[in-house]
mmCIF file of all heavy atoms in Angstrom:
data_model
loop_
_atom_site.group_PDB
_atom_site.id
_atom_site.type_symbol
_atom_site.label_atom_id
_atom_site.label_comp_id
_atom_site.label_asym_id
_atom_site.label_seq_id
_atom_site.Cartn_x
_atom_site.Cartn_y
_atom_site.Cartn_z
ATOM 1 N N ILE A 1411 11.883 -2.041 -15.328
ATOM 2 C CA ILE A 1411 13.259 -1.585 -15.553
ATOM 3 C C ILE A 1411 14.103 -1.828 -14.310
ATOM 4 O O ILE A 1411 15.237 -2.325 -14.381
ATOM 5 C CB ILE A 1411 13.269 -0.096 -15.940
ATOM 6 C CG1 ILE A 1411 12.622 0.102 -17.309
ATOM 7 C CG2 ILE A 1411 14.689 0.459 -15.938
ATOM 8 C CD1 ILE A 1411 12.421 1.564 -17.697
ATOM 9 N N GLY A 1412 13.544 -1.478 -13.152
ATOM 10 C CA GLY A 1412 14.288 -1.665 -11.910
ATOM 11 C C GLY A 1412 14.631 -3.121 -11.662
ATOM 12 O O GLY A 1412 15.759 -3.449 -11.272
ATOM 13 N N ALA A 1413 13.646 -4.015 -11.879
ATOM 14 C CA ALA A 1413 13.869 -5.431 -11.600
ATOM 15 C C ALA A 1413 14.798 -6.077 -12.617
ATOM 16 O O ALA A 1413 15.689 -6.859 -12.247
ATOM 17 C CB ALA A 1413 12.526 -6.164 -11.562
ATOM 18 N N SER A 1414 14.625 -5.757 -13.905
ATOM 19 C CA SER A 1414 15.368 -6.466 -14.958
ATOM 20 C C SER A 1414 16.690 -5.808 -15.318
ATOM 21 O O SER A 1414 17.698 -6.494 -15.508
ATOM 22 C CB SER A 1414 14.496 -6.587 -16.215
ATOM 23 O OG SER A 1414 13.348 -7.368 -15.955
ATOM 24 N N LEU A 1415 16.734 -4.492 -15.432
ATOM 25 C CA LEU A 1415 17.974 -3.820 -15.830
ATOM 26 C C LEU A 1415 18.887 -3.521 -14.642
ATOM 27 O O LEU A 1415 20.109 -3.488 -14.797
ATOM 28 C CB LEU A 1415 17.665 -2.522 -16.573
ATOM 29 C CG LEU A 1415 16.858 -2.642 -17.877
ATOM 30 C CD1 LEU A 1415 16.827 -1.310 -18.608
ATOM 31 C CD2 LEU A 1415 17.418 -3.728 -18.777
ATOM 32 N N PHE A 1416 18.286 -3.311 -13.465
ATOM 33 C CA PHE A 1416 19.101 -2.963 -12.292
ATOM 34 C C PHE A 1416 19.106 -4.043 -11.224
ATOM 35 O O PHE A 1416 19.814 -3.910 -10.228
ATOM 36 C CB PHE A 1416 18.615 -1.641 -11.686
ATOM 37 C CG PHE A 1416 18.897 -0.444 -12.552
ATOM 38 C CD1 PHE A 1416 17.922 0.088 -13.363
ATOM 39 C CD2 PHE A 1416 20.156 0.129 -12.565
ATOM 40 C CE1 PHE A 1416 18.175 1.181 -14.175
ATOM 41 C CE2 PHE A 1416 20.427 1.235 -13.371
ATOM 42 C CZ PHE A 1416 19.436 1.761 -14.182
ATOM 43 N N GLY A 1417 18.300 -5.081 -11.400
ATOM 44 C CA GLY A 1417 18.288 -6.169 -10.418
ATOM 45 C C GLY A 1417 17.795 -5.751 -9.054
ATOM 46 O O GLY A 1417 18.158 -6.360 -8.047
ATOM 47 N N LEU A 1418 16.946 -4.713 -9.008
ATOM 48 C CA LEU A 1418 16.441 -4.239 -7.721
ATOM 49 C C LEU A 1418 15.500 -5.266 -7.102
ATOM 50 O O LEU A 1418 14.671 -5.850 -7.803
ATOM 51 C CB LEU A 1418 15.700 -2.912 -7.891
ATOM 52 C CG LEU A 1418 16.551 -1.645 -8.050
ATOM 53 C CD1 LEU A 1418 15.661 -0.464 -8.399
ATOM 54 C CD2 LEU A 1418 17.347 -1.361 -6.791
ATOM 55 N N PRO A 1419 15.594 -5.483 -5.791
ATOM 56 C CA PRO A 1419 14.600 -6.343 -5.136
ATOM 57 C C PRO A 1419 13.244 -5.655 -5.118
ATOM 58 O O PRO A 1419 13.137 -4.447 -5.385
ATOM 59 C CB PRO A 1419 15.167 -6.510 -3.719
ATOM 60 C CG PRO A 1419 16.002 -5.285 -3.498
ATOM 61 C CD PRO A 1419 16.579 -4.944 -4.846
ATOM 62 N N GLU A 1420 12.221 -6.414 -4.770
ATOM 63 C CA GLU A 1420 10.868 -5.852 -4.771
ATOM 64 C C GLU A 1420 10.760 -4.677 -3.806
ATOM 65 O O GLU A 1420 10.121 -3.670 -4.104
ATOM 66 C CB GLU A 1420 9.864 -6.939 -4.396
ATOM 67 C CG GLU A 1420 8.419 -6.490 -4.520
ATOM 68 C CD GLU A 1420 7.435 -7.623 -4.309
ATOM 69 O OE1 GLU A 1420 7.872 -8.789 -4.295
ATOM 70 O OE2 GLU A 1420 6.231 -7.350 -4.145
ATOM 71 N N GLU A 1421 11.368 -4.811 -2.649
ATOM 72 C CA GLU A 1421 11.407 -3.712 -1.677
ATOM 73 C C GLU A 1421 12.775 -3.046 -1.766
ATOM 74 O O GLU A 1421 13.790 -3.661 -1.434
ATOM 75 C CB GLU A 1421 11.142 -4.227 -0.261
ATOM 76 C CG GLU A 1421 9.758 -4.828 -0.065
ATOM 77 C CD GLU A 1421 8.651 -3.796 -0.213
ATOM 78 O OE1 GLU A 1421 8.912 -2.610 0.096
ATOM 79 O OE2 GLU A 1421 7.552 -4.168 -0.642
ATOM 80 N N HIS A 1422 12.821 -1.803 -2.216
ATOM 81 C CA HIS A 1422 14.107 -1.109 -2.349
ATOM 82 C C HIS A 1422 13.967 0.340 -1.882
ATOM 83 O O HIS A 1422 14.375 1.274 -2.589
ATOM 84 C CB HIS A 1422 14.608 -1.168 -3.789
ATOM 85 C CG HIS A 1422 13.602 -0.716 -4.806
ATOM 86 N ND1 HIS A 1422 12.712 -1.567 -5.411
ATOM 87 C CD2 HIS A 1422 13.320 0.508 -5.320
ATOM 88 C CE1 HIS A 1422 11.957 -0.900 -6.258
ATOM 89 N NE2 HIS A 1422 12.295 0.372 -6.209
ATOM 90 N N GLU A 1423 13.389 0.496 -0.709
ATOM 91 C CA GLU A 1423 13.211 1.840 -0.156
ATOM 92 C C GLU A 1423 14.559 2.535 -0.031
ATOM 93 O O GLU A 1423 15.523 1.978 0.488
ATOM 94 C CB GLU A 1423 12.535 1.758 1.208
ATOM 95 C CG GLU A 1423 12.200 3.111 1.804
ATOM 96 C CD GLU A 1423 11.469 3.006 3.129
ATOM 97 O OE1 GLU A 1423 11.227 1.875 3.566
ATOM 98 O OE2 GLU A 1423 11.156 4.058 3.712
ATOM 99 N N GLY A 1424 14.614 3.760 -0.523
ATOM 100 C CA GLY A 1424 15.850 4.529 -0.460
ATOM 101 C C GLY A 1424 16.577 4.577 -1.785
ATOM 102 O O GLY A 1424 17.435 5.440 -1.991
#
Side-chain angles (χ1 to χ4, degrees):
I1411 293 172
S1414 297
L1415 299 189
F1416 291 99
L1418 282 172
E1420 186 173 348
E1421 297 294 330
H1422 52 270
E1423 185 177 0

